Amino acid sequence: MTLDSFAGRRVPPAVTDAGLALLLAAGLLAVSEAMPPGGPELRAADARFVVLTLLAALPLTVHRLFPLPALLVTAGAVSVLHGFHYVPPLSGPESTSIGPTYLGVATAVFLTAVRGAPRTATLVVTVLIPVASVTEAALAPPGHRITTLLTEAVILVAAWALGRLHRARAAIRNQAAERAVALEREQVANARAAVMEERARIARELHDIVAHNVSLMVVQTIAADRIQDRDGDKAHELHGTIEETGRATVTELRQMLDVLRTDEGAETDPNKEPPQPTIEALPALVESVRAAGVQVDFTTTGSPAELPAGSHLTVYRVVQEALTNTLKHAGHTRTALTVAWEPDRHRLTVRLCDDGPRPDEETPRPPAPADGSGHGLVGMRERISAVGGTLHTGARPGGGYCVHAVVPVPETDAHHSHRPHRSHHEGHSPYASDPRPAGR
């Protein structure tokens, strides 16, 4: 609870200061009436007493704006009241009297310690409190000056210490609140970054799937149109394949868009994402490309090993992108796809090389992007890099194009002592040893 709150509700600062000033004024006006019989003799209240009372109380109404001046005026007015014997001394023959006069000064010291700057607070405890204590001691009856000095000093120093403690606790509370706000902002920023990263991944997935299927549909449509009159059955088969590919593309688009539209559940509910293909799905992918007229020689060597799901998806997407690029840029060409498991080297090698466009190619191909760039190669490199592999792409000597990817295979306990050293480039071009001629 702060100084400006009451019963859990915020009180305007002006009301707080006015209330304190009213209490001090009422206490000073009631001092002479509240003195018990036999107490110290006090001067009767007169106009000067009223003026001094107002000088002691009214500065508290503006204390929030002028902490140190308000304290000085209040303390000076109280000392004058004591000097003219309008209020009882702090310590005298009768007893120690800590009345509203001195409590008012202590309140002003407390408020100044809370609201004032560190320099102001230091000035109060090193200068004002000693001066006020010495002044009260000088005005005290003989024989009670040391008691008055100590009592005044203890009261004011205690008020000052409580004020600084209250200020320190308020500062700690404010810092904790600021840290909480900063942490919340950081969490929101991290959540947004995670969402953007997830959506970027989904966009890459969307590019891979749609680019492949649309390329197949375009090539198959052109091929079906060319053979419509010569081979109606084959054209009908191609039209059926186009229909199936189109339906599959629409389904995948809907699944992806459902994920993109879901702001809250997309990151936490994996069931909303479409099932991810694995290396076992490569034969079906190859068959779909063969149906488009590309001659694909698919070879698998070695014994399959356990791979993380991410590596499975990476291999499938790299092959899919490479076949899509072959359709786009080489048309009905010959392509060799090799998936080689190399357990002794703890890696899986994927190699896809095409012969480039055939010189007698009559079937038009889908146009390549005007600038020759796109997200395909970038996406392949990102995927391979994410699983710790390497990727080489480029033209083959004599024509054609090759994609060569190496994906690490996790080692088993039996092979920990024979970890191979994997070079990033392995010292030569991975497709230089396959110089089949082509017209590309």
Side-chain angles (χ1 to χ4, degrees), residues 31-33 35 39-45 84-89:
V31 166
S32 59
E33 301 295 333
M35 290 301 298
E41 296 184 2
L42 301 179
R43 179 176 294 186
F84 283 106
H85 301 287
Y86 286 116
V87 294

Side-chain angles (χ1 to χ4, degrees), residues 391-403:
L391 177 71
H392 298 274
T393 61
R396 294 166 50 199
Y401 200 82
C402 271
V403 174

Side-chain angles (χ1 to χ4, degrees), residues 59-81:
L60 292 181
T61 59
V62 294
H63 184 279
R64 182 175 294 272
L65 301 176
F66 310 102
L68 187 58
L71 172 60
L72 293 175
V73 173
T74 297
V78 168
S79 297
V80 174
L81 286 171

